[in-house]
Amino acid sequence: MSSFRFLHAADIHLDSPLRGLSRYEGLPLEEIRNATRRALDRLIAIAIEEKVSFLILAGDLYDGSWQDASTGLYMMKSLSRLVHAGIRVITLSGNHDAQSVIARELPRPAGIDHFSYDAPETIRLEDIQVALHGQSFRERHVRKDMTPTYPEPVSGWFNIGVLHTSLSGYGEHETYAPCSVETLASKHYDYWALGHVHARQIVCHHPWIVFPGVLQGRHIRETGTCGAMLVSVENNTVQSVTPVACDVIRWSHIVIDIADLHDLDDVMHAARLRMEHALAQADGRTVIARVTLTGTTTLHDSLCASTCWQDDLRSVAVSLDTGQNPIALEKLRNKTTSPPTTNTLHDLDTALSKLMSDPEFIATLSDDFEMFFSALPGCVERSSLMADENSWPLEEASSALRARLMGSAS
């Protein structure tokens, strides 16, 4: 029985275009534009340094239909470095790859195996007795479970299923090749190398079902460490699945609750501490951050009245730039609210009392209630909603609203 290690990555989205970032002042656009290539370079370097036996790329190597052949050539040149180092490469086309005709026609050097578009197949690595089973996407929208036709495991070998899938649905990701943990487990493979979901996740340990996540975060919805999984196997048993960072730019969403802060100087101090923490976590990488201020605060009105606080935040970011791992601010958002005041509640109560004594207003509400009741299903009786069918519960609602408003001020 052999011992070996392999890398599992997915969702490289090489040369993914920048969308909307150019409108934010001070962002290192060229650095962001080249980030996916540099992350791929780092993945290749890690594979060689760790002396892995093979690399799995579980779909979305590219980002849709690209016109510039240099994107594909860069990918093939990078993967060829692994082949020259004696490392096998196994790739699979995902939903984004299926859009690109150029990607399909691009010649692949010997040592780079690509799963068929026509049917599931098995790629065998005879020297270490590893069998990889998978199928590429021919069309972008694969709505059916692909795994029932995946081959049976090779007896006595370490078996890996490679699949680009949303499983049963994960958050914002569209549904592709849906399947369940139970379906995957029923194939009796030792490891499932998945792609498509951009958040790193170990879904199951028996068998191992793993999303490595996106190789390089490309926008504010892809925050935190991004990269691949390094898998160690001994005697056909997974010993460890270890995340390895490949990203060169780290996205961070900094949310600051300023409810207990007294002035803008306090806000800037809190922001500085949070930015310093983000830089420390980035381990020398450039940080692209979005800052959102939250909380109920007396500073709300001054924040709304002027954008000076945004300039101050950008100044804080600039002051933290050591020339090695800067922090750049993408979007600055004010999501604070103003605390209610006794005067405001008094005004609301006065206005409510005035409306409740206005016959025309009451008549209007009566019409609205009639429309509401007429829209209810026939099985819902008006008497079940109102104790007295001839009177509208306006006074009760008024009293309840007054109580809640006045209670929030105390």
Side-chain angles (χ1 to χ4, degrees):
M1 298 271 183
S2 60
S3 299
F4 58 88
R5 292 190 298 171
F6 67 91
L7 273 171
H8 166 206
D11 300 286
I12 296 173
H13 293 278
L14 190 66
D15 290 347
S16 176
L18 302 182
R19 294 187 175 93
L21 292 179
S22 59
R23 68 177 182 267
Y24 299 117
E25 181 183 351
L27 291 186
L29 297 181
E30 194 61 26
E31 187 176 356
I32 298 172
R33 186 176 288 109
N34 292 325
T36 55
R37 290 195 178 197
R38 293 174 58 207
L40 176 59
D41 293 342
R42 183 165 287 188
L43 174 67
I44 302 302
I46 291 172
I48 295 173
E49 179 182 344
E50 296 291 342
K51 296 181 174 61
V52 300
S53 297
F54 57 95
L55 165 67
I56 301 172
L57 298 179
D60 285 356
L61 282 67
Y62 305 104
D63 196 74
S65 183
W66 38 274
Q67 304 299 321
D68 187 352
S70 68
T71 298
L73 292 174
Y74 193 90
M75 176 67 74
M76 289 302 113
K77 181 179 179 180
S78 299
L79 298 183
S80 294
R81 290 175 53 201
L82 295 181
V83 175
H84 294 320
I87 298 172
R88 293 281 292 274
V89 180
I90 298 91
T91 65
L92 175 146
S93 290
N95 55 291
H96 280 279
D97 301 319
Q99 292 179 274
S100 176
V101 176
I102 302 177
R104 293 185 199 175
E105 298 177 348
L106 204 64
R108 297 181 183 88
I112 300 178
D113 296 286
H114 187 74
F115 283 109
S116 169
Y117 295 97
D118 299 323
E121 65 172 330
T122 298
I123 296 172
R124 294 173 179 246
L125 307 183
E126 299 282 351
D127 56 332
I128 54 175
Q129 295 191 333
V130 172
L132 300 104
H133 316 279
Q135 180 182 0
S136 290
F137 280 28
R138 179 174 291 281
E139 306 294 336
R140 173 168 184 170
H141 297 287
V142 177
R143 301 303 188 192
K144 66 176 184 178
D145 184 355
M146 300 172 69
T147 59
T149 54
Y150 267 46
E152 291 298 310
V154 177
S155 179
W157 286 33
F158 187 82
N159 289 267
I160 301 174
V162 185
L163 179 65
H164 201 75
T165 178
S166 58
L167 283 184
S168 298
Y170 270 77
E172 63 185 32
H173 295 280
E174 293 185 65
T175 301
Y176 292 105
C179 57
S180 67
V181 170
E182 291 74 20
T183 300
L184 299 184
S186 71
K187 301 303 293 187
H188 301 294
Y189 295 165
D190 301 291
Y191 184 95
W192 277 95
L194 306 185
H196 182 60
V197 174
H198 286 192
R200 176 186 296 154
Q201 184 172 4
I202 296 177
V203 179
C204 183
H205 292 79
H206 303 287
W208 288 87
I209 301 174
V210 180
F211 286 107
V214 67
L215 193 70
Q216 166 63 61
R218 299 165 300 144
H219 46 68
I220 197 61
R221 293 189 302 279
E222 296 174 349
T223 59
T225 305
C226 300
M229 291 295 201
L230 178 62
V231 184
S232 296
V233 179
E234 292 182 11
N235 300 325
N236 280 356
T237 301
V238 173
Q239 299 298 311
S240 64
V241 179
T242 307
V244 292
C246 299
D247 55 343
V248 296
I249 288 178
R250 191 68 52 82
W251 293 82
S252 177
H253 188 188
I254 298 174
V255 180
I256 306 173
D257 186 345
I258 66 170
D260 297 328
L261 304 185
H262 303 292
D263 53 40
L264 289 180
D265 287 341
D266 290 342
V267 174
M268 295 307 130
H269 178 69
R272 173 178 289 275
L273 294 178
R274 296 294 299 278
M275 290 183 200
E276 289 175 341
H277 179 74
L279 283 170
Q281 294 295 309
D283 193 25
R285 296 167 178 80
T286 295
V287 174
I288 310 294
R290 174 178 294 182
V291 178
T292 300
L293 304 183
T294 65
T296 300
T297 172
T298 55
L299 299 175
H300 171 77
D301 291 342
S302 61
L303 292 172
C304 292
S306 172
T307 60
C308 289
W309 63 275
Q310 297 183 3
D311 296 334
D312 291 343
L313 281 177
R314 295 192 186 280
S315 296
V316 171
V318 169
S319 71
L320 294 175
D321 186 353
T322 63
Q324 295 180 339
N325 58 326
I327 182 168
L329 302 186
E330 175 236 31
K331 183 184 289 185
L332 307 176
R333 301 192 303 175
N334 173 23
K335 295 295 183 179
T336 63
T337 57
S338 181
T341 65
T342 303
N343 289 339
T344 300
L345 293 174
H346 176 75
D347 292 341
L348 286 172
D349 188 54
T350 300
L352 183 60
S353 298
K354 185 176 181 180
L355 287 173
M356 296 303 298
S357 61
D358 185 348
E360 293 184 5
F361 175 72
I362 300 301
T364 301
L365 282 184
S366 298
D367 293 340
D368 290 339
F369 273 114
E370 286 292 355
M371 292 176 62
F372 166 72
F373 282 121
S374 66
L376 289 174
C379 61
V380 179
E381 297 183 1
R382 178 186 307 196
S383 58
S384 67
L385 300 175
M386 299 182 57
D388 185 353
E389 192 170 298
N390 297 317
S391 65
W392 305 103
L394 298 177
E395 190 59 41
E396 289 84 350
S398 172
S399 298
L401 181 58
R402 283 193 183 94
R404 294 192 64 178
L405 287 173
M406 299 308 294
S408 65
S410 59

